[in-house]
Amino acid sequence: MKRDKPKYKQIIDAAVIAIAQNGYHQAQVSKIAKEAGVADGTIYLYFKNKEDILVSVFREKMAIFTHNLRVILEEDIDTSKRLFKMIDNHFRVLHEDRHLAIVTQLELRQSGKKLRLRINEVLKEYLDLLDVILKDGIERNDLDQTLDIRLARQMIFGTIDETITSWVMNEQKYDLIELSPNVHKLIMNAIKA
Amino acid sequence: MKRDKPKYKQIIDAAVIAIAQNGYHQAQVSKIAKEAGVADGTIYLYFKNKEDILVSVFREKMAIFTHNLRVILEEDIDTSKRLFKMIDNHFRVLHEDRHLAIVTQLELRQSGKKLRLRINEVLKEYLDLLDVILKDGIERNDLDQTLDIRLARQMIFGTIDETITSWVMNEQKYDLIELSPNVHKLIMNAIKA
Amino acid sequence: MKRDKPKYKQIIDAAVIAIAQNGYHQAQVSKIAKEAGVADGTIYLYFKNKEDILVSVFREKMAIFTHNLRVILEEDIDTSKRLFKMIDNHFRVLHEDRHLAIVTQLELRQSGKKLRLRINEVLKEYLDLLDVILKDGIERNDLDQTLDIRLARQMIFGTIDETITSWVMNEQKYDLIELSPNVHKLIMNAIKA
Amino acid sequence: MKRDKPKYKQIIDAAVIAIAQNGYHQAQVSKIAKEAGVADGTIYLYFKNKEDILVSVFREKMAIFTHNLRVILEEDIDTSKRLFKMIDNHFRVLHEDRHLAIVTQLELRQSGKKLRLRINEVLKEYLDLLDVILKDGIERNDLDQTLDIRLARQMIFGTIDETITSWVMNEQKYDLIELSPNVHKLIMNAIKA
DNA sequence: TATGAATGAGCGTTCATTCAT
DNA sequence: CATGAATGAACGCTCATTCAT
């Protein structure tokens, strides 16, 4: 399987760096190849085309978030703690990989409609897990029984996303992780039972 | 002043239509010119370059939101009602101009970093007015005294933005305006005193 | 109409020269543009793509042959004289435009299947006129009544084509026009009544 | 000698199939290798480069025609019969190997000038044998004493070639072999004493 | 002998902007 | 003011060939 070969990950990581440093539209395949230390043509042994690189970047990195969320779902804790862990995890991963934060919050959004759709498919998995937390929270009576799950999900994701984007746009000047408790409080206020 | 001449607005409106119909990357200057019924070169008598058209589109349209928000601020009503009006206004304007909704929520976000920064400057005026509402709400004791205004603003804007984007991505299949009360309730739960 | 503008013919002629000098696969669009004294992009104001240039070259030049053949058909002379004029005209045009001879006999044949089919459509018009001469020749009893027209056409065109190709491959060392009477004699022997 | 090893012929035959099925420009070395059941690199143990494969294809296959023509020359029959056998043989071989017909009449002609010259060298051997038949025919008084041998050869080869190419282009819909007598008649009319 | 992963040079086409009319 | 023909820089991808194993 190509995805397990070392060069696959090498190119993915090179793409994140190249995009973060040069911007989406200036991250030419040749720059990614150079950053990865391989020839231009080698890229095409591992990826179908440039779009495939970008979707793969998103898929591979999103897998970290999704995996962590699954672990949180398996823990025997209440919904409030779960959401705190989710927010904190989200902030923490991006706080520790500044390049990735720039890429997911700013650069990858410049992609065309076609690529956006493919990225959204990947994102859906994460949002579906969030829905599971919310549904379960209502069943357990941790959350407001009248909660509109879609709206709640949009509020939670919208808040997290906007918070991170603002942080990235402010050149990551302040500590993102410190915001977790307050963001969590705001969100819980909105949806708790 | 160029902005008052009829062709100026004519080109702005043509740009919105051209972008909504063709997508950001397919909205070439020549297409905008054709839609506006002028020659390509004429565009450059009213705008410095393509980026200038796009920023102007955003500035002119955002002015509607900002103006409405100012009116809301002048009304003698409590913070909860103000925020309801803000949300409802936001949803209503975009619900009634589908082209504009597509352009602001999807297409314009594909622009490069440079243009994004200029768009954010325009957006700032709107967000600053939101901050005024929030500060005033705390003073009046309508809102939680310990509220972190920046976080609250990010939550409110993030929630609204994500809600609208989801609606656009779902091809505007459901009624956006009907969501106002629920979105308002969620937000007020989060921040009220 | 684009085909009447001076730059159209200018580019066509530049293409013939560029292809004759560099060979089919080395005649890049930029070389053709340079030879024509225009910018690369200008090419695309007059031609849809590179293939369109090449088909147009063939169409425009073939028009000379076809036009001459029509004139010959209108003359009130016997079939033998008509065929002599056709052969002589074919030889004469290519003898006087060495570049064109190289392009039609050697270079354009290297084109891919798709282009070949389009070129054949153009060629068909010429061959159809030849068929008219042959049919008419049989009716007039100038030619063998049992003649298979398709075979006769293939023999005539094949002979002319092979003769010219050999001449081009021998670097146009001898006088092509002088061969007309002998080629004509051979062909008439084969098909006359 | 490499040419006697089984893989040599294996690759040659794979090349014919790959070219006939995919077209000249789509017959990459890797496709030929796959068709032959060897690794890409193995090709280069038997052939200097891709051009060498193609010339070898032509040489090996042309050898069939040349060999048959030598046999015909050894037979004690008149010139007319010799030419009939030559035409019939030519038609028959290609009629029975459709792949080869496509390759020699259409695909291999898309090769560059350099390859064309090398192919012509191989072809020359065949044409030289035809010249022998013609010279001998004049000596025997089977053919017109004033015959220009070069022209006659060009007519014969041009006619045969054009006939076969038309047949291939018409997707080999009709029976090529049936055409032999008529083609022979046409040619003999042209050159007989 | 045989393999196949890696290489890297090469090119058609688009489109924002200019400027002579 | 208005036009639109002309410009030319910029880039993703293919594939023949090599060479370490």
Side-chain angles (χ1 to χ4, degrees):
Chain A
M1 184 58 183
K2 293 215 159 136
R3 291 191 199 169
D4 299 329
K5 301 201 180 171
K7 277 194 181 151
Y8 179 82
K9 291 198 180 306
Q10 196 174 323
I11 292 167
I12 294 273
D13 290 335
V16 173
I17 294 173
I19 294 171
Q21 283 178 344
N22 301 285
Y24 180 80
H25 293 293
Q26 281 308 304
Q28 296 92 338
V29 172
S30 62
K31 268 192 192 134
I32 296 173
K34 197 170 197 178
E35 179 69 39
V38 299
D40 292 16
T42 305
I43 298 271
Y44 293 88
L45 296 177
Y46 296 89
F47 300 91
K48 235 172 74 257
N49 49 37
K50 190 180 180 182
E51 181 182 310
D52 191 29
I53 307 175
L54 302 173
V55 173
S56 301
V57 163
F58 197 76
R59 196 193 323 104
E60 295 291 324
K61 297 306 181 183
M62 204 65 212
I64 301 171
F65 293 100
T66 310
H67 172 258
N68 289 345
L69 206 45
R70 277 186 217 283
V71 171
I72 291 166
L73 257 171
E74 280 163 14
E75 293 183 54
D76 187 25
I77 51 181
D78 70 21
T79 305
S80 177
K81 289 210 176 68
R82 277 183 176 162
L83 288 173
F84 179 82
K85 287 200 168 193
M86 185 192 95
I87 295 164
D88 194 59
N89 167 54
H90 207 129
F91 284 2
R92 203 168 289 272
V93 171
L94 292 179
H95 192 266
E96 277 159 21
D97 190 343
R98 309 289 178 110
H99 284 324
L100 183 59
I102 294 172
V103 170
T104 60
Q105 303 305 120
L106 299 184
E107 303 300 344
L108 231 41
R109 315 213 169 180
Q110 303 172 35
S111 54
K113 201 172 286 179
K114 200 171 140 224
L115 182 47
R116 290 285 292 276
L117 287 174
R118 295 191 55 193
I119 285 179
N120 276 324
E121 286 168 19
V122 177
L123 192 56
K124 188 165 186 306
E125 204 180 341
Y126 186 69
L127 297 177
D128 283 347
L129 286 172
L130 174 50
D131 276 8
V132 171
I133 294 182
L134 295 175
K135 267 177 217 157
D136 184 65
I138 292 171
E139 276 173 28
R140 296 187 190 196
N141 206 24
D142 284 344
L143 301 181
D144 178 359
Q145 297 298 310
T146 67
L147 201 62
D148 179 326
I149 289 188
R150 189 181 62 199
L151 274 191
R153 181 224 303 146
Q154 286 166 1
M155 185 210 59
I156 295 170
F157 186 76
T159 301
I160 293 175
D161 192 62
E162 181 69 18
T163 304
I164 300 171
T165 300
S166 288
W167 170 72
V168 173
M169 281 205 169
N170 280 300
E171 289 159 352
Q172 310 171 326
K173 281 196 290 247
Y174 46 90
D175 189 311
L176 184 61
I177 302 175
E178 284 182 359
L179 300 180
S180 301
N182 275 333
V183 170
H184 174 252
K185 202 179 95 188
L186 266 184
I187 287 174
M188 283 311 296
N189 280 347
I191 62 175
K192 71 183 171 207
Chain B
M1 185 56 185
K2 291 206 162 150
R3 289 191 199 171
D4 299 328
K5 302 209 179 172
K7 277 194 182 156
Y8 179 82
K9 290 198 180 306
Q10 196 173 320
I11 291 167
I12 294 275
D13 290 335
V16 173
I17 293 172
I19 294 171
Q21 284 178 344
N22 302 286
Y24 181 80
H25 291 293
Q26 281 309 302
Q28 297 90 340
V29 173
S30 61
K31 268 198 192 128
I32 296 174
K34 194 169 198 181
E35 180 70 40
V38 300
D40 294 15
T42 306
I43 298 270
Y44 291 85
L45 299 174
Y46 295 89
F47 299 90
K48 229 174 83 253
N49 50 35
K50 190 179 180 182
E51 182 182 308
D52 192 27
I53 307 175
L54 302 174
V55 174
S56 302
V57 163
F58 197 75
R59 194 189 327 101
E60 296 291 325
K61 296 305 180 184
M62 206 64 212
I64 302 171
F65 293 99
T66 311
H67 170 259
N68 289 344
L69 207 45
R70 279 188 216 283
V71 171
I72 291 167
L73 258 171
E74 280 162 14
E75 293 184 55
D76 185 24
I77 52 181
D78 71 19
T79 305
S80 176
K81 289 211 177 66
R82 278 184 174 160
L83 287 173
F84 180 82
K85 287 201 169 194
M86 185 192 94
I87 295 163
D88 194 59
N89 167 56
H90 208 128
F91 283 2
R92 205 169 287 274
V93 171
L94 292 179
H95 192 267
E96 277 157 21
D97 189 344
R98 310 286 176 112
H99 283 328
L100 185 59
I102 293 171
V103 171
T104 60
Q105 302 305 120
L106 299 184
E107 303 300 343
L108 231 42
R109 314 211 168 182
Q110 299 175 37
S111 55
K113 200 179 284 180
K114 203 170 138 217
L115 181 49
R116 291 286 292 276
L117 287 174
R118 293 192 57 194
I119 284 179
N120 275 320
E121 286 168 19
V122 177
L123 192 57
K124 191 168 183 304
E125 204 181 341
Y126 185 71
L127 296 177
D128 283 348
L129 287 172
L130 175 51
D131 276 7
V132 172
I133 293 180
L134 295 174
K135 268 178 216 154
D136 183 65
I138 293 171
E139 276 173 26
R140 295 189 191 195
N141 207 25
D142 282 343
L143 302 181
D144 178 1
Q145 296 298 309
T146 67
L147 200 62
D148 178 324
I149 289 188
R150 188 181 63 201
L151 276 191
R153 180 225 303 150
Q154 286 167 2
M155 184 210 62
I156 295 170
F157 186 75
T159 301
I160 293 174
D161 192 60
E162 181 69 18
T163 304
I164 300 172
T165 299
S166 287
W167 171 72
V168 173
M169 281 202 171
N170 280 301
E171 289 159 352
Q172 311 171 324
K173 281 197 287 250
Y174 45 89
D175 189 310
L176 184 60
I177 303 175
E178 282 182 1
L179 299 180
S180 300
N182 275 333
V183 170
H184 173 252
K185 200 179 97 187
L186 267 184
I187 287 174
M188 283 312 296
N189 280 347
I191 62 175
K192 71 183 170 206
Chain C
M1 185 58 183
K2 295 216 154 132
R3 290 190 199 170
D4 299 329
K5 300 201 180 173
K7 278 198 179 144
Y8 179 82
K9 291 198 180 306
Q10 196 174 324
I11 292 167
I12 293 273
D13 290 336
V16 173
I17 294 172
I19 294 171
Q21 283 178 344
N22 302 285
Y24 180 80
H25 292 293
Q26 281 307 304
Q28 297 92 339
V29 173
S30 61
K31 270 194 190 133
I32 296 173
K34 196 170 198 180
E35 179 70 40
V38 300
D40 292 16
T42 305
I43 299 270
Y44 292 87
L45 297 177
Y46 296 90
F47 300 90
K48 233 173 76 256
N49 49 37
K50 190 179 179 182
E51 181 182 310
D52 191 29
I53 308 175
L54 302 173
V55 173
S56 301
V57 163
F58 197 75
R59 194 191 328 101
E60 294 291 324
K61 298 305 182 184
M62 206 64 211
I64 302 171
F65 293 100
T66 310
H67 172 258
N68 288 345
L69 207 45
R70 277 186 218 284
V71 172
I72 290 166
L73 257 171
E74 280 162 15
E75 294 184 56
D76 187 25
I77 52 181
D78 70 21
T79 305
S80 176
K81 289 209 178 68
R82 277 183 175 163
L83 288 173
F84 179 81
K85 287 199 168 194
M86 185 192 92
I87 295 164
D88 193 59
N89 166 56
H90 208 129
F91 284 2
R92 203 169 289 272
V93 171
L94 292 179
H95 192 267
E96 277 157 22
D97 189 344
R98 309 288 178 111
H99 284 324
L100 184 59
I102 293 171
V103 170
T104 60
Q105 303 305 119
L106 299 184
E107 303 300 345
L108 231 42
R109 315 212 168 182
Q110 300 172 37
S111 55
K113 203 173 284 179
K114 202 171 138 222
L115 183 48
R116 290 285 293 276
L117 287 173
R118 294 191 57 192
I119 285 179
N120 277 324
E121 286 169 20
V122 177
L123 192 58
K124 189 167 184 306
E125 204 181 339
Y126 186 70
L127 297 177
D128 283 347
L129 286 171
L130 174 51
D131 276 7
V132 172
I133 293 181
L134 294 175
K135 268 177 216 156
D136 184 65
I138 292 171
E139 276 174 27
R140 294 188 191 198
N141 207 24
D142 284 343
L143 302 180
D144 178 359
Q145 296 298 310
T146 67
L147 200 63
D148 178 326
I149 289 187
R150 189 180 63 200
L151 275 190
R153 180 225 303 149
Q154 286 167 0
M155 184 210 61
I156 295 170
F157 186 76
T159 302
I160 292 175
D161 192 62
E162 181 69 18
T163 305
I164 300 171
T165 300
S166 287
W167 171 72
V168 173
M169 282 203 168
N170 281 300
E171 290 159 349
Q172 309 169 327
K173 281 195 290 243
Y174 46 87
D175 188 311
L176 183 61
I177 302 174
E178 282 181 359
L179 299 181
S180 300
N182 275 334
V183 170
H184 174 251
K185 201 178 97 188
L186 267 184
I187 286 175
M188 283 311 297
N189 279 346
I191 62 175
K192 71 186 171 203
Chain D
M1 185 57 188
K2 292 207 163 143
R3 289 191 201 172
D4 299 330
K5 303 208 178 171
K7 276 194 182 154
Y8 179 83
K9 289 200 181 304
Q10 198 173 321
I11 292 167
I12 293 274
D13 290 334
V16 174
I17 293 173
I19 294 172
Q21 283 179 344
N22 302 286
Y24 181 80
H25 292 291
Q26 282 308 303
Q28 297 90 341
V29 172
S30 61
K31 267 195 193 130
I32 296 173
K34 195 170 198 180
E35 179 71 40
V38 300
D40 294 16
T42 306
I43 298 269
Y44 291 86
L45 299 174
Y46 295 89
F47 300 89
K48 230 175 81 252
N49 49 36
K50 189 179 181 182
E51 182 182 310
D52 192 27
I53 307 174
L54 301 173
V55 173
S56 301
V57 164
F58 198 76
R59 194 191 325 102
E60 295 291 325
K61 297 305 181 182
M62 204 66 211
I64 301 170
F65 293 99
T66 310
H67 171 259
N68 289 344
L69 207 44
R70 277 187 218 285
V71 172
I72 290 167
L73 257 171
E74 280 162 14
E75 293 184 54
D76 186 26
I77 50 180
D78 70 21
T79 305
S80 176
K81 289 210 177 67
R82 278 183 174 162
L83 287 173
F84 179 82
K85 287 198 169 195
M86 185 192 93
I87 296 164
D88 194 59
N89 168 56
H90 208 129
F91 284 3
R92 203 168 289 272
V93 172
L94 293 178
H95 192 267
E96 277 157 21
D97 190 343
R98 309 287 176 111
H99 283 327
L100 184 60
I102 293 171
V103 171
T104 60
Q105 302 306 120
L106 300 183
E107 303 301 342
L108 231 42
R109 315 212 167 180
Q110 300 173 38
S111 56
K113 199 178 283 180
K114 203 170 138 217
L115 182 49
R116 290 286 292 277
L117 287 174
R118 293 191 56 194
I119 283 179
N120 275 319
E121 285 168 20
V122 177
L123 193 57
K124 189 165 186 306
E125 204 180 341
Y126 186 70
L127 296 177
D128 283 348
L129 286 172
L130 174 51
D131 276 8
V132 172
I133 293 180
L134 294 174
K135 266 178 218 155
D136 183 66
I138 293 171
E139 276 173 27
R140 295 189 192 193
N141 206 23
D142 283 343
L143 302 180
D144 178 0
Q145 296 298 309
T146 68
L147 200 63
D148 178 325
I149 289 187
R150 189 182 61 201
L151 275 190
R153 180 224 304 147
Q154 287 167 0
M155 184 210 63
I156 294 169
F157 186 75
T159 301
I160 291 174
D161 192 62
E162 180 70 18
T163 304
I164 300 171
T165 299
S166 288
W167 170 73
V168 173
M169 282 202 167
N170 280 300
E171 288 158 354
Q172 311 171 325
K173 280 196 289 248
Y174 45 88
D175 188 311
L176 183 61
I177 303 175
E178 283 183 0
L179 298 180
S180 300
N182 275 333
V183 170
H184 174 251
K185 201 180 98 188
L186 266 183
I187 287 175
M188 283 312 296
N189 280 346
I191 62 175
K192 71 185 171 204

